[in-house]
């Protein structure tokens, strides 16, 4: 259905892209170990765990309308093992777009995401990484989300630390 499909695409923020892997426990590929900012790429497979549509107050229509929200949760996998999860909240802004925020919990800290994604159908999109905690404090970058079959996908984070 549109809400479920849109949710998958929106937040496959479930943050996306084939498992890249390597590095301590989660699949971290580091580049640049100098004095200045360094870059890291994190890649995970994702698996949808829950989608909940939250219609705007008083709505009786079963069809999504502008202003409706959806809350999505996913698991993040590396080498077949669950290594994290996310919580995503999207608000339908137009018939084609949603504004989404997400928190991704990983063993070394959390990543915070925000951006515009597709409202319906699957697809690939990129949103901003706006911050994080612990190892990801003061992080910025991008998250590329790709929807896959059977409630799966990939998420790739390109971070500047």
């Amino acid at each position: 259905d549109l809400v479920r499909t849109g949710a998958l695409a929106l937040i496959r923020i479930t943050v996306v892209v084939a498992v890249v892997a390597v590095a301590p426990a989660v699949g971290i590929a580091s580049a640049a170990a100098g004095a200045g900012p360094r870059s890291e790429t994190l890649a995970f497979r994702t698996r949808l765990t829950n989608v909940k549509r939250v219609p705007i107050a008083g709505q009786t229509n079963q069809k999504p309308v502008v202003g409706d929200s959806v809350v999505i949760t996913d698991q993040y996998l590396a080498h077949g093992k669950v290594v994290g999860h996310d919580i995503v909240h999207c608000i339908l802004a137009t018939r084609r777009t949603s504004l989404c925020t997400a928190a991704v919990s990983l063993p070394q800290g959390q990543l915070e995401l925000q951006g515009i994604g597709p409202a319906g159908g699957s697809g690939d999109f990129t949103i901003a990484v706006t911050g994080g905690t612990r190892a990801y404090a003061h992080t910025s970058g991008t998250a590329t989300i790709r929807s896959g079959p059977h409630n799966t996908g990939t998420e790739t984070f390109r971070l500047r630390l």
Side-chain angles (χ1 to χ4, degrees):
D1 79 358
L2 180 61
V3 170
R4 183 174 166 91
T5 305
L8 288 174
L10 283 177
I11 286 232
R12 216 52 325 155
I13 287 181
T14 281
V15 194
V16 221
V17 177
V19 177
V20 167
V22 222
V26 235
I28 299 174
S30 278
R38 71 181 205 281
S39 298
E40 287 188 6
T41 298
L42 307 177
F44 303 95
R45 291 196 182 278
T46 58
R47 180 173 44 219
L48 178 73
T49 54
N50 193 29
V51 176
K52 175 66 176 168
R53 178 175 167 235
V54 182
I56 57 176
Q59 180 180 340
T60 57
N61 188 353
Q62 293 298 327
K63 243 178 127 174
V65 300
V66 170
D68 281 359
S69 293
V70 63
V71 177
I72 304 157
T73 59
D74 298 281
Q75 292 178 324
Y76 286 73
L77 299 104
H79 307 293
K81 294 192 178 355
V82 174
V83 295
H85 67 278
D86 68 10
I87 300 172
V88 180
H89 178 245
C90 296
I91 300 170
L92 187 62
T94 71
R95 299 183 114 213
R96 287 185 247 150
T97 59
S98 289
L99 174 62
C100 299
T101 58
V104 178
S105 179
L106 298 169
Q108 295 182 356
Q110 290 185 13
L111 293 171
E112 300 300 320
L113 314 175
Q114 182 174 341
I116 296 171
S122 61
D124 300 346
F125 62 102
T126 299
I127 61 173
V129 174
T130 58
T133 64
R134 297 181 14 219
Y136 308 118
H138 311 293
T139 296
S140 63
T142 60
T144 302
I145 292 106
R146 291 197 168 94
S147 299
H150 312 293
N151 297 325
T152 65
T154 59
E155 292 190 31
T156 300
F157 302 93
R158 289 180 178 77
L159 308 174
R160 287 178 302 283
L161 302 166

